[in-house]
């Protein structure tokens, strides 16, 4: 499980709550329980009493399903051991052991209130209780309940899946104790990794109020305009910074059978004049799909399905008019309509659709402030994190232009909200003196506040210029004598220009700073070496240039490792290949919990070339579980690299020994840089570079053992002839296989072994084929 390690490399931090009770073990309840366990906090998971021999079967089965679910709710399967199951008939009294109770039962007001009355009788006085309701207002939930309960009650609306969706909407009532709001917010922020948004007590809160309106409008207008599902998802997707699932792909993901329930709930709660009612009626097709079991990905299919007709898998989509399925046809927008401005200005039916749907949606969002949120920042944050929009509604209006949008709305016969009228031809966001400000409902500008302890590299960009920079990287002064290096290439890939600016940065930090952090605000830390440039150089037979890059990379990474100051790597998202290798060369790592790290070079027919093999061997040989001579750590490193294994979380990276016990894990992505900086500062006093390792390799006997293992994989049909070649090179590196055994192998010797093997493999035609295939498809080739 995650051992949450605070900045500074200590394990002294303790969560706000020492034990949490979750009631309701459905998909959401089990997911919330799993995320709390991911943070290392014990959970009591309760559900109804089941018939049969096991009264706790509902909760037990939920955990068993969660352990098999992909994507996994647990960051480490061992975290499931922190969850104790029970049932509300036999075990409700155990709520008194818990510091916070989260209710996640069915969306029925009568059942929730009945449970609350039972909880109030057994909980410790003052224990906060929250509901995960997605639509029922708090005022209705606490209606008729004692004042002491109302004082301790709030809504904590998680989004599915709870591990991966960062948004948490918190809703309070006039009687809610502010102390509970603070402790729940603190716990969910720092320990569960959530970005907390305060929402008003209104139907659907923020994200669902706008998001369901947007989906309903998109579906209804699609039928009116005679568009296909592929056309709609293309129009409504990338041009507006919305995930490629678009609308219909998203409905398939969340479940089509939820649409009628959400629609009915929203219609019953919203005033008659609310614009939501114009699009609230479900399409006739929806009922037929649900009746036939076409509820989306969890059913037989949805707006899209996969057909196995003819022996293969074929993606099909539904005709919105007839309900018939046909092979999906890719739709490409006309020239000039690839972005929001071009699409909205387009005179064809695709532009007309975009103007109607996005015009209605943006106008609706603007009309709801301050009804659903005190400011525009909360609205944008909710849609960005809850629906994965690249930009929230108001940031998107800024991209389009508020005045242009107002004119578009008038053209479409849509009422222009007062907030858009008020901003006029201005913007909703501006940067002044390095601080982002947001336009308020009072017509004034207000600074966008950061939570205490949050540092974002983007804020430094607004305030000034980097200390050093090139087109491929930059060095920033982030205060207190700490510098931060970021890569700025596409996908943060490494090439010669990155190595050049990194080398200059190392020298500059040595003269002017106390410590260095390797970090990026981008989604992914680094996808590794630039394979496109490598393939180009190989096709030109520019072997000297490739060798120069390998040698340069090895030198720069070792300069980083042995620099006279501490270096902390702060990965988040993917850190693959060369991105993993630079993490391995840091003195310490502060990783985001969702870090996917691994040496993946064998997947494209190569081996790690920048010191990754030696660094992993050095880590494994120090582990007591792989003690007993050179072979146990060698075998484990070989298996990990040969199979291109990537951690599915920072917790798994720790089990893979990519992270060490002393390395830290940060749950909230926004706190990663601050935590990494604090860890770097904790290493400054008395810092000395690490000693250079010497290796005792297994030699020819060890290589033979690894070769035999690969031959077994060939016989099983899971390794190709070129896999054998690549694995052979990797085995030679890890065993130094020219002799019976090799002692006192230096780090320089290991680098030479890596360099030689890498250069031999990249001149191989099968390897070049694999690289080209990866560049074209994004997937490894098995040839």
């Amino acid at each position: 499980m995650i051992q949450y390690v605070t900045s500074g490399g200590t394990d002294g931090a303790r969560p706000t709550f020492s034990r949490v009770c979750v009631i309701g073990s459905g998909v959401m309840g089990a997911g919330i329980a799993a995320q709390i366990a991911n943070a290392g906090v014990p959970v009591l998971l309760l559900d109804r009493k089941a018939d049969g021999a096991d009264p706790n079967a509902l909760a037990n089965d939920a955990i068993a399903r969660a352990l098999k679910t992909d994507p996994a709710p647990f960051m480490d399967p061992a975290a499931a051991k922190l969850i104790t199951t029970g049932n509300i008939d036999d075990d409700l009294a155990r709520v008194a052991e818990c510091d916070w109770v989260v209710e996640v039962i069915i969306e029925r007001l009568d059942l929730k209130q009945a449970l609350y009355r039972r909880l109030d009788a057994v909980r410790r006085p003052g224990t906060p209780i929250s509901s995960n309701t997605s639509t029922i207002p708090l005022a209705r939930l606490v209606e008729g309940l004692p004042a002491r309960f109302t004082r301790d009650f709030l809504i904590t609306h998680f989004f599915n899946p709870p591990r991966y969706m960062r948004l948490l909407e918190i809703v309070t009532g006039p009687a809610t104790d502010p102390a509970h709001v603070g402790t729940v917010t603190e716990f969910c922020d720092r320990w569960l990794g959530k970005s907390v948004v305060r929402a008003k007590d209104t139907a659907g809160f923020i994200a669902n109020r706008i998001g369901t309106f947007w989906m309903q409008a998109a579906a209804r207008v699609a039928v009116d305009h005679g568009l296909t599902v592929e056309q709609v998802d293309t129009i409504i997707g990338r041009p507006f910074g919305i995930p490629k699932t678009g609308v219909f792909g998203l409905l398939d993901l969340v479940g089509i059978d939820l649409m009628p329930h959400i629609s009915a709930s929203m219609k019953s709660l919203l005033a008659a004049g609310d614009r939501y009612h114009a699009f609230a009626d479900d399409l006739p097709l929806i009922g037929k799909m649900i009746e036939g079991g076409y509820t989306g990905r969890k059913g037989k299919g949805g707006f899209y399905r996969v057909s196995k007709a003819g022996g293969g898998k074929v993606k099909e989509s539904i005709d919105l008019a007839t309900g018939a399925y046909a092979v999906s046809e890719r739709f490409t927008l006309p020239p000039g309509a690839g972005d929001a401005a071009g699409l909205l200005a387009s005179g064809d039916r695709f532009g007309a659709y975009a103007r109607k749907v996005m015009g209605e949606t943006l106008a609706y969002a603007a009309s709801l402030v301050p009804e659903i949120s005190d400011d525009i920042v909360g609205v944008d944050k909710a849609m960005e994190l809850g629906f994965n929009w690249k930009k929230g509604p108001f940031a998107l209006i800024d991209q389009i232009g508020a005045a242009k949008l107002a004119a578009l709305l008038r053209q479409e016969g849509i009422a222009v909200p007062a907030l858009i009228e008020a901003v006029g031809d201005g913007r909703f966001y501006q940067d002044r003196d390095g601080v982002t400000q947001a336009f308020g409902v009072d017509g004034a500008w207000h600074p966008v506040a950061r939570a205490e302890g949050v540092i974002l590299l983007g804020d430094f960009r607004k305030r000034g210029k980097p200390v050093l920079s090139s087109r491929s990287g930059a060095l920033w002064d982030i205060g207190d004598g700490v510098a931060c290096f970021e890569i700025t290439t596409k996908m943060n890939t490494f090439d010669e220009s990155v190595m050049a600016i990194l080398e200059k940065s190392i020298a500059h930090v040595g003269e002017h700073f106390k410590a260095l952090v390797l970090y990026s605000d981008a989604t992914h830390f680094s996808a590794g070496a630039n394979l496109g440039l490598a393939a180009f150089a190989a096709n030109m037979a520019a072997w000297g240039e490739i060798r120069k890059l390998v040698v340069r990379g090895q030198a720069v990474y070792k300069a980083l490792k042995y620099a006279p100051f501490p270096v902390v790597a702060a990965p988040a998202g993917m850190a693959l290949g060369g991105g993993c290798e630079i993490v391995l060369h840091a003195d310490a790592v502060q990783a985001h919990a969702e870090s996917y790290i691994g040496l993946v070079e064998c997947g494209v027919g190569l081996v790690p070339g920048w010191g990754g093999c030696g660094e992993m061997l050095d880590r494994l040989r120090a582990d007591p579980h792989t003690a007993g001579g050179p072979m146990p750590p060698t075998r484990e490193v070989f298996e990990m690299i040969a199979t291109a294994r990537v951690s599915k979380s920072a917790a798994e990276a720790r089990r893979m020994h990519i992270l060490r016990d002393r390395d830290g894990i940060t749950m909230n992505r926004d706190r990663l840089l601050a935590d990494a900086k604090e860890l770097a500062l904790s290493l400054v006093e008395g810092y000395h570079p690490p000693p250079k390792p010497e290796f005792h390799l297994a030699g020819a006997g060890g290589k033979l053992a690894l070769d035999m293992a690969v031959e077994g994989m060939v016989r099983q049909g899971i390794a190709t002839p070129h896999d054998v070649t690549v694995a052979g090179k990797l085995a030679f590196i890890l065993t130094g296989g020219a002799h019976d055994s090799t002692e006192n192998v230096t780090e320089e010797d290991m680098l030479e072994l890596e360099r030689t093997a890498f250069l031999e493999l990249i001149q191989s035609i099968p390897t070049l084929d694999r690289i080209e295939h990866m560049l074209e498809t994004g997937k490894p080739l098995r040839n």
Side-chain angles (χ1 to χ4, degrees), residues 440-453:
V441 293
D442 58 358
W445 290 96
H446 303 272
V448 177
R450 299 282 185 223
E452 183 182 355

Side-chain angles (χ1 to χ4, degrees), residues 137-223:
L138 183 146
R140 296 191 64 183
L141 290 172
V142 298
E143 192 173 15
L145 290 166
R148 65 177 180 273
F149 184 88
T150 303
R151 190 167 49 248
D152 297 333
F153 188 82
L154 63 159
I155 289 172
T156 49
H157 180 215
F158 291 82
F159 281 68
N160 192 33
R163 170 182 166 184
Y164 300 96
M165 297 299 289
R166 292 176 57 193
L167 177 63
L168 176 73
E169 293 176 324
I170 286 187
V171 182
T172 61
T176 305
D177 187 344
H180 290 327
V181 181
T183 54
V184 171
T185 297
E186 169 83 2
F187 181 81
C188 293
D189 173 341
R190 293 182 180 273
W191 294 88
L192 303 188
K194 300 304 169 189
S195 292
V196 177
V197 172
R198 292 291 300 275
K200 298 288 191 69
D201 189 19
T202 56
F205 314 127
I206 300 175
N208 279 349
R209 177 78 172 271
I210 298 170
T212 56
F213 175 93
W214 164 67
M215 291 189 292
Q216 293 274 158
R220 171 62 62 185
V221 177
V223 173

Side-chain angles (χ1 to χ4, degrees), residues 48-62:
R48 290 177 289 107
K49 188 173 185 176
D51 296 329
D54 181 7
N56 304 331
L58 293 176
N60 286 332
D61 290 349

Side-chain angles (χ1 to χ4, degrees), residues 135 212 215-216 219 251 254-269 276 279-291 294-296 298 303:
T135 56
T212 56
M215 291 189 292
Q216 293 274 158
L251 288 169
V254 300
I256 295 167
D257 53 329
L258 293 179
M259 289 181 65
H261 298 289
I262 293 173
S263 178
S265 177
M266 296 294 282
K267 284 191 291 185
S268 70
L269 294 168
Y276 190 96
F279 304 98
D281 291 335
D282 289 314
L283 304 175
L285 177 61
I286 297 295
K288 295 178 181 177
M289 293 175 70
I290 295 171
E291 186 179 344
Y294 289 94
T295 55
K298 65 183 179 182
F303 292 103

Side-chain angles (χ1 to χ4, degrees), residues 639-657:
E639 181 181 346
M640 185 185 80
I641 298 177
T643 57
R645 184 179 167 198
V646 176
S647 73
K648 294 181 180 179
S649 67
E652 186 175 11
R654 178 172 277 154
R655 284 196 286 109
M656 293 167 63
H657 301 281

Side-chain angles (χ1 to χ4, degrees), residues 123-396:
R123 70 186 176 115
R124 289 200 313 268
T127 302
I129 296 178
S130 68
S131 173
N132 186 60
T133 182
S134 59
T135 56
I136 305 175
L138 183 146
R140 296 191 64 183
L141 290 172
V142 298
E143 192 173 15
L145 290 166
R148 65 177 180 273
F149 184 88
T150 303
R151 190 167 49 248
D152 297 333
F153 188 82
L154 63 159
I155 289 172
T156 49
H157 180 215
F158 291 82
F159 281 68
N160 192 33
R163 170 182 166 184
Y164 300 96
M165 297 299 289
R166 292 176 57 193
L167 177 63
L168 176 73
E169 293 176 324
I170 286 187
V171 182
T172 61
T176 305
D177 187 344
H180 290 327
V181 181
T183 54
V184 171
T185 297
E186 169 83 2
F187 181 81
C188 293
D189 173 341
R190 293 182 180 273
W191 294 88
L192 303 188
K194 300 304 169 189
S195 292
V196 177
V197 172
R198 292 291 300 275
K200 298 288 191 69
D201 189 19
T202 56
F205 314 127
I206 300 175
N208 279 349
R209 177 78 172 271
I210 298 170
T212 56
F213 175 93
W214 164 67
M215 291 189 292
Q216 293 274 158
R220 171 62 62 185
V221 177
V223 173
D224 295 342
H225 285 234
L227 298 180
T228 68
V229 295
E230 294 93 344
Q231 290 169 340
V232 167
D233 286 347
T234 301
I235 293 167
I236 220 73
R238 181 172 294 177
F240 295 100
I242 291 169
K244 63 181 181 180
T245 52
V247 172
F248 291 112
L250 178 59
L251 288 169
D252 279 354
L253 182 63
V254 300
I256 295 167
D257 53 329
L258 293 179
M259 289 181 65
H261 298 289
I262 293 173
S263 178
S265 177
M266 296 294 282
K267 284 191 291 185
S268 70
L269 294 168
L270 294 174
D274 194 283
R275 187 62 178 163
Y276 190 96
H277 293 287
F279 304 98
D281 291 335
D282 289 314
L283 304 175
L285 177 61
I286 297 295
K288 295 178 181 177
M289 293 175 70
I290 295 171
E291 186 179 344
Y294 289 94
T295 55
R297 294 190 186 181
K298 65 183 179 182
K300 294 157 59 176
F303 292 103
Y304 297 96
R305 73 177 185 183
V306 176
S307 171
K308 297 181 179 179
K313 292 184 178 181
V314 179
K315 185 178 181 181
E316 297 180 337
S317 56
I318 201 167
D319 187 305
L320 295 174
T322 67
Y325 283 93
V327 176
S328 288
E329 295 183 6
R330 183 172 180 174
F331 173 69
T332 303
L333 285 165
D339 58 19
L343 185 54
L344 292 172
S346 175
D348 56 23
R349 64 193 183 117
F350 309 124
Y353 175 79
R355 286 190 293 274
K356 179 63 175 174
V357 173
M358 294 310 295
E360 289 276 10
T361 300
L362 296 177
Y364 190 60
S367 74
L368 295 175
V369 179
E371 178 189 344
I372 62 174
S373 173
D374 284 329
D375 54 47
I376 66 171
V377 177
V379 172
D380 277 354
K381 193 173 181 181
M383 290 307 293
E384 289 164 8
L385 298 177
F387 279 79
N388 289 325
W389 287 20
K390 189 173 182 180
K391 293 183 177 180
F394 293 96
L396 190 52

